[in-house]
Amino acid sequence: MLADTRIQTRHICISGFLQSIAKPVGFERLWLKLRKHESPQVRVSYLPWDSDWSAVAEHLMRTGPEDDFTSLKIRVYAYSWGVGNGFVKLAKELRHRGMTIDKAVLCDGVYHSGWFPWRAVFSPFWTPRIVVPDNVGEVWWLRQREDKPMGHDVRADDCASTTIHDAKVLSVGHSYMDDSPEFHRTCLKVARS
């Protein structure tokens, strides 16, 4: 009988709105590049922005280190609504379970509201921001100013335990941000660290 192989490190890719496994996108290419880090103890996952984040958090907890699930290293790479919805909700679900995300790379994150999802994209009167939950250790983020939707500000709101690096502003449109070599390089660097 085979013994359990507990997962010690998780690399989680969270896609943007309208992205799916049905068609090729830059995020899928990033996921393929990150897979070189896979082993029985390291898993690389590709999830849609609107996944059941409570179920994902439960799965991560159950399959992580048995004696101390809080030692599970979680790294997240997210794009667009994968930032404003997926990343934020996953971090909150993990926090409820006493777990952390040690590093995240966020690409042109767009705020998402369950009540008015398009308000953040089109409102001329309100500029939303993405608030990183306090169980996230370190964040790198990239954004663009070429077209809409345009990445929103990423903040930690008085959380001394979270480090947010300065944004890298790229000269490409939103639809091409997940294909950006700079985004891929940053993700691969964080995955190696």
Side-chain angles (χ1 to χ4, degrees):
M1 178 152 96
L2 294 173
D4 278 355
T5 301
R6 294 286 172 168
I7 299 170
Q8 307 297 318
T9 303
R10 289 278 188 168
H11 296 278
I12 301 172
C13 300
I14 306 174
S15 65
F17 182 63
L18 296 181
Q19 291 187 324
S20 76
I21 59 172
K23 56 187 175 187
V25 292
F27 224 81
E28 183 177 68
R29 285 183 284 282
L30 171 64
W31 171 74
L32 287 169
K33 291 175 185 177
L34 288 167
R35 288 198 63 238
K36 70 181 175 186
H37 296 286
E38 278 198 333
S39 72
Q41 292 82 26
V42 179
R43 170 66 75 205
V44 180
S45 304
Y46 178 35
L47 299 169
W49 66 274
D50 59 349
S51 294
D52 180 345
W53 298 111
S54 176
V56 170
E58 284 292 317
H59 176 72
L60 298 179
M61 188 173 75
R62 281 193 321 270
T63 59
E66 192 169 22
D67 52 342
D68 180 15
F69 63 83
T70 61
S71 67
L72 174 66
K73 289 182 190 157
I74 301 174
R75 306 224 167 127
V76 174
Y77 316 92
Y79 166 65
S80 191
W81 272 2
V83 176
N85 184 75
F87 164 72
V88 171
K89 285 185 175 179
L90 176 60
K92 288 178 180 178
E93 289 293 340
L94 292 170
R95 183 177 58 201
H96 292 317
R97 292 158 178 83
M99 300 169 73
T100 62
I101 294 173
D102 65 320
K103 298 175 190 295
V105 181
L106 310 179
C107 182
D108 218 29
V110 177
Y111 176 84
H112 181 269
S113 164
W115 295 101
F116 305 104
W118 298 106
R119 180 178 174 200
V121 178
F122 298 112
S123 176
F125 307 107
W126 179 63
T127 303
R129 59 195 173 124
I130 297 168
V131 179
V132 175
D134 61 2
N135 63 324
V136 178
E138 193 170 10
V139 175
W140 291 262
W141 60 299
L142 302 90
R143 69 181 328 170
Q144 56 83 31
R145 297 282 189 202
E146 303 293 316
D147 62 9
K148 290 194 177 209
M150 200 178 295
H152 295 119
D153 285 344
V154 174
R155 298 285 178 252
D157 283 2
D158 302 322
C159 178
S161 64
T162 302
T163 300
I164 298 183
H165 298 278
D166 292 336
K168 291 181 185 176
V169 180
L170 306 184
S171 297
V172 297
H174 180 76
S175 296
Y176 302 100
M177 285 292 286
D178 66 323
D179 267 320
S180 159
E182 183 64 28
F183 173 51
H184 287 213
R185 272 193 300 273
T186 304
C187 291
L188 292 169
K189 181 179 177 183
V190 168
R192 281 191 306 269
S193 65

